[in-house]
Amino acid sequence: MERNKLSVDPTIPNIYQKAREEGISTVFDRYEAQQPQCGFGLTGLCCRHCVQGPCRIDPFGEGPQAGICGATAEVITARNLLRQVAAGAAAHVDHAYDVLEVLEQIAKGTESYSIKDQEKLKQVAFTLGIDTANKTEREIVEEMCQIIYRDFANSGATPMTYLKANSPQERLETWEKLGVLPRNPDREIREALHQTTMGMDADPVNLILKTIRLGLVDGFAGLKLATDLQDIIFGTPQPVVTEANLGVLKEDYVNIIVHGHVPLLSEKIVEWSRKLEDEAKKAGAKGINLAGICCTGNEVLMRQGVPLATNFLAQELAIVTGAVDLMVVDVQCIMPSLAEIAACYHTRLVTTMPIVRIPGAEHVPFTTETADTASQQIVRMAIESFQKRNPAKVYIPREKAKVVAGFSVEAIIKALAKLNPEEPLKPLIDNIVSGNILGVVATVGCNNVKVKHDWFHIELVKELIRNNVLVVTTGCSAHALAKAGFMDPAAVEWTGEGLKAVLTAIGTANDLGGPLPPVLHMGSCVDNSRIGDLVIAVANYLKVSPKDLPVAASAPEYQHEKALSIGTWAVAMGIMTHLGVVPPVAGSPKVTRILTQDAEALIGGKFYVETDPYKAAAGIIEHIKAKRALLNL
Ligand code: NFS
Ligand code: SF4
């Protein structure tokens, strides 16, 4: 591929060139080798749910219009989508469950982890109706675990407690009326798989309603649960200053990259990298330099100020710098190609989870029991590896950007409270009412090799902030924007006058010595729940539904099934959700119509598909203005 067409990230052309010269193929080359991609798959018209297939539907109406069993385009696309959303939800629920198990271990007295944030513990306990008076921390944690485990054991029709406790009444009523209130999250995922096997549901509407239900499973048993428990164990993020892009790698330090998703591992690596600094110095390094990739990178960036190396699409190129001594991974978004690329350098790739093994990688089992010993071992492996680094193969790009991050809802409220201690949300809302802030958009999700790397995130956000739209962000979108300088307070110059005035006022009131950045980093993909919490808080304050607010979400370059399940949750919350890559349902006009039009009347939110960033920005702004008009703003 032409090296300048791959990405708008300035580090990529040179590193990609290096990979080419060293005979390494990357995601970009493998994408090219896949062309042309199958049109049936792209439009969702292919079914492999039984072994009579594969079956495909002719989108032009000339060939077969039904699979061997009689499943139509509608059934096949809706079924495929439900499976993808169920898989996305499964990933997040499994993530949250891992953290829940550690919380239970804490109640039982494990020494590997502890409660860092008593405030958050009390707040979550309060939400779940736990009386915390006269109870020890351990008793509160125990009771909390019991209540949450009940959701996973619940065999009846009772809706999930965690969802009920955290949702506005109006949403609960809407979901109940539609029959999409989830019960036991594990059961919902199981049932979605059952419902989509051969010879089951053939009603596209029923399948889409189930998809919405699985979106809610993700939103509450995945995202919200994971974020809350992680905050309790590791602390709720507060503003931090750090840096982003491959320029954060350091020539004379041991470079360790944490990649994956669950902070149970990455937090421990941070802890032990700090504790074993002296060993690194003895080995001839100036110290240990940690950097993150993907969402676990976001987790330690938000809580520990660990710099960000790069995002999803450039994970391989990080290794091509030749400067990464060790990359340790847990779950999700880890390209299997990493082992082969690491083998071309001194880089050690370490897997840690029983469900993620990669031939060619070294495996160090990581559990609550082994958390400390495994992390020490991994950090020591990195120090050893540093001594084998080949300077002739090292190329560290210079580019990196300043990043101010750490904007949990708690941190945002604290910053706003400096303007109005009694009603912290009031300054935000007053500025929305006055039009200084036109609306709020969340840009989230991945990179996708089908889109020029980071380009859609950046062009979309440029347009939005220029039009006084406040942007909050998570995931690899946050990475793209961080690398491009949008989280440097200096980026306030790129915004419209109204937004600039607000950001400056908040910055001044907080003695930040400058404005807030125009793009607020709210964390990892599970931290999309923070965005949900913010939306709910504003809606409650105004006594309206989240669906009435001048807000929208966008996943400009999404690739993962998790992004589809998060998007479905956002739609269920009543939020218009833009997708910059066409989802694989286009083969059914009916399914497409339900998701992009009819959904709005039913649930308040809908998907909006637009593959041009400028048109997408215009469409989102139009939506925000329409919502403002309905609120008489
Ligand atoms: Ni989200 Fe994170 Fe990135 Fe996409 Fe993958 S890292 S959980 S799925 S690619 S944003
Ligand atoms: Fe074909 Fe039906 Fe089997 Fe799918 S379930 S592969 S459409 S026969």
Side-chain angles (χ1 to χ4, degrees):
M1 248 182 161
E2 240 260 63
R3 66 185 186 128
N4 292 317
K5 293 202 178 128
L6 308 175
S7 174
V8 293
D9 176 338
T11 66
I12 302 301
N14 286 346
I15 297 273
Y16 178 73
Q17 185 63 30
K18 184 174 187 282
R20 290 298 288 262
E21 282 161 12
E22 290 170 354
I24 291 167
S25 95
T26 63
V27 59
F28 301 105
D29 310 304
R30 294 189 302 270
Y31 173 61
E32 212 168 50
Q34 285 290 337
Q35 300 312 309
Q37 284 172 289
C38 171
F40 296 102
L42 280 170
T43 50
L45 288 175
C46 159
C47 180
R48 294 187 301 116
H49 290 197
C50 87
V51 185
Q52 301 177 91
C55 298
R56 359 183 253 188
I57 305 298
D58 179 0
F60 305 110
E62 285 152 20
Q65 293 303 296
I68 292 164
C69 68
T72 59
E74 287 156 13
V75 176
I76 292 176
T77 50
R79 242 173 13 190
N80 287 344
L81 181 69
L82 175 49
R83 281 218 166 169
Q84 286 190 295
V85 169
H92 284 139
V93 173
D94 212 31
H95 170 160
Y97 201 90
D98 277 352
V99 184
L100 175 61
E101 282 188 330
V102 167
L103 193 68
E104 188 193 20
Q105 295 291 323
I106 293 173
K108 288 190 177 142
T110 176
E111 284 178 4
S112 303
Y113 297 93
S114 59
I115 304 295
K116 283 237 176 66
D117 195 335
Q118 274 86 11
E119 267 313 297
K120 187 90 180 202
L121 177 69
K122 286 208 188 107
Q123 186 235 305
V124 174
F126 175 80
T127 314
L128 291 173
I130 299 169
D131 177 10
T132 55
N134 307 320
K135 281 191 190 130
T136 64
E137 181 182 285
R138 211 182 257 198
E139 284 165 345
I140 299 172
V141 171
E142 234 164 49
E143 199 172 331
M144 185 177 288
C145 289
Q146 275 167 16
I147 291 176
I148 300 169
Y149 276 128
R150 236 178 273 149
D151 271 344
F152 287 93
N154 165 19
S155 59
T158 332
M160 265 169 55
T161 305
Y162 215 73
L163 173 139
K164 282 205 303 187
N166 287 292
S167 303
Q169 197 52 37
E170 178 275 339
R171 286 289 89 189
L172 287 172
E173 283 163 17
T174 304
W175 297 332
E176 182 161 27
K177 231 186 282 159
L178 279 175
V180 298
L181 272 180
R183 304 154 294 174
N184 173 342
D186 287 344
R187 180 181 185 184
E188 297 295 357
I189 292 165
R190 181 215 314 154
E191 203 177 78
L193 290 178
H194 180 192
Q195 190 170 344
T196 49
T197 54
M198 192 272 148
M200 288 290 292
D201 204 352
D203 178 357
V205 175
N206 202 38
L207 285 160
I208 290 172
L209 287 172
K210 186 54 153 282
T211 307
I212 292 173
R213 196 194 289 212
L214 267 292
L216 289 172
V217 167
D218 188 351
F220 292 93
L223 315 180
K224 176 75 177 147
L225 183 59
T227 301
D228 282 348
L229 303 191
Q230 286 169 185
D231 279 355
I232 290 172
I233 299 173
F234 300 114
T236 303
Q238 292 301 322
V240 285
V241 182
T242 182
E243 294 173 322
N245 216 342
L246 289 171
V248 305
L249 296 174
K250 293 183 182 165
E251 191 141 1
D252 29 23
Y253 282 69
V254 177
N255 289 310
I256 302 179
I257 286 187
V258 288
H259 175 13
H261 281 80
V262 190
L264 295 171
L265 169 71
S266 54
E267 281 277 344
K268 276 289 163 193
I269 300 290
V270 174
E271 182 186 329
W272 282 102
S273 293
R274 288 174 184 161
K275 287 183 178 160
L276 297 178
E277 190 94 36
D278 280 343
E279 291 189 22
K281 286 182 183 157
K282 269 184 218 134
K286 283 196 178 147
I288 298 178
N289 179 44
L290 211 62
I293 290 184
C294 283
C295 278
T296 214
N298 279 325
E299 298 286 356
V300 288
L301 183 152
M302 293 283 286
R303 294 195 183 85
Q304 305 285 352
V306 170
L308 171 83
T310 193
N311 51 358
F312 171 76
L313 207 57
Q315 57 182 275
E316 299 170 305
L317 295 181
I319 295 180
V320 176
T321 61
V324 177
D325 301 303
L326 183 143
M327 182 186 276
V328 57
V329 304
D330 56 6
V331 292
Q332 304 168 14
C333 300
I334 301 149
M335 290 191 196
S337 61
L338 291 178
E340 205 183 302
I341 297 179
C344 302
Y345 301 91
H346 75 299
T347 308
R348 294 172 87 163
L349 178 70
V350 179
T351 54
T352 53
M353 293 294 143
I355 56 171
V356 184
R357 303 279 303 231
I358 305 176
E362 297 170 80
H363 191 76
V364 178
F366 185 91
T367 62
T368 317
E369 290 74 44
T370 67
D372 287 295
T373 49
S375 306
Q376 285 176 64
Q377 187 189 341
I378 292 165
V379 172
R380 290 200 172 106
M381 285 163 73
I383 297 172
E384 258 172 52
S385 173
F386 167 81
Q387 293 164 301
K388 297 192 186 127
R389 197 193 290 172
N390 176 359
K393 279 194 145 184
V394 173
Y395 165 70
I396 301 177
R398 242 178 306 159
E399 289 89 351
K400 56 183 175 178
K402 178 179 173 181
V403 170
V404 179
F407 294 100
S408 57
V409 176
E410 290 84 344
I412 293 173
I413 303 260
K414 203 162 140 196
L416 289 167
K418 289 276 163 60
L419 296 171
N420 186 337
E422 282 83 46
E423 290 181 80
L425 283 174
K426 194 163 181 292
L428 177 65
I429 284 153
D430 287 348
N431 278 296
I432 294 176
V433 171
S434 74
N436 274 338
I437 299 176
L438 188 69
V440 183
V441 169
T443 69
V444 305
C446 329
N447 296 131
N448 181 325
V449 70
K450 290 176 178 170
V451 182
K452 188 176 190 177
H453 176 220
D454 290 352
W455 171 73
F456 206 138
H457 294 293
I458 289 169
E459 293 306 306
L460 175 69
V461 169
K462 266 192 208 159
E463 287 300 307
L464 292 175
I465 62 175
R466 204 168 56 78
N467 285 285
N468 294 313
V469 173
L470 176 66
V471 173
V472 296
T473 184
T474 57
C476 288
S477 185
H479 293 157
L481 298 165
K483 291 187 291 169
F486 287 84
M487 293 171 191
D488 183 335
V492 82
E493 293 308 324
W494 306 339
T495 71
E497 286 308 314
L499 182 57
K500 184 175 169 182
V502 181
L503 296 168
T504 308
I506 301 172
T508 310
N510 283 276
D511 297 322
L512 296 179
L516 281 189
V519 172
L520 302 182
H521 192 335
M522 293 189 75
S524 63
C525 281
V526 294
D527 292 340
N528 281 314
S529 65
R530 299 192 198 279
I531 300 174
D533 288 348
L534 187 61
V535 165
I536 291 172
V538 171
N540 287 348
Y541 183 87
L542 290 172
K543 302 196 173 58
V544 298
S545 158
K547 73 176 163 53
D548 302 322
L549 297 176
V551 302
S554 170
E557 305 178 13
Y558 79 98
Q559 53 87 8
H560 207 281
E561 288 168 321
K562 291 178 287 174
L564 287 170
S565 57
I566 296 172
T568 307
W569 160 71
V571 168
M573 290 294 288
I575 293 168
M576 183 183 86
T577 302
H578 162 253
L579 301 174
V581 180
V582 181
V585 296
S588 165
K590 181 166 182 183
V591 170
T592 305
R593 202 195 61 230
I594 296 173
L595 294 171
T596 60
Q597 295 173 31
D598 305 354
E600 194 168 25
L602 290 173
I603 208 157
K606 63 174 177 188
F607 283 106
Y608 163 47
V609 181
E610 175 53 65
T611 57
D612 175 295
Y614 312 103
K615 285 187 195 156
I620 290 170
I621 289 170
E622 194 188 315
H623 171 80
I624 286 174
K625 286 186 175 160
K627 290 287 176 188
R628 290 183 67 94
L630 286 171
L631 287 170
N632 294 319
L633 300 180

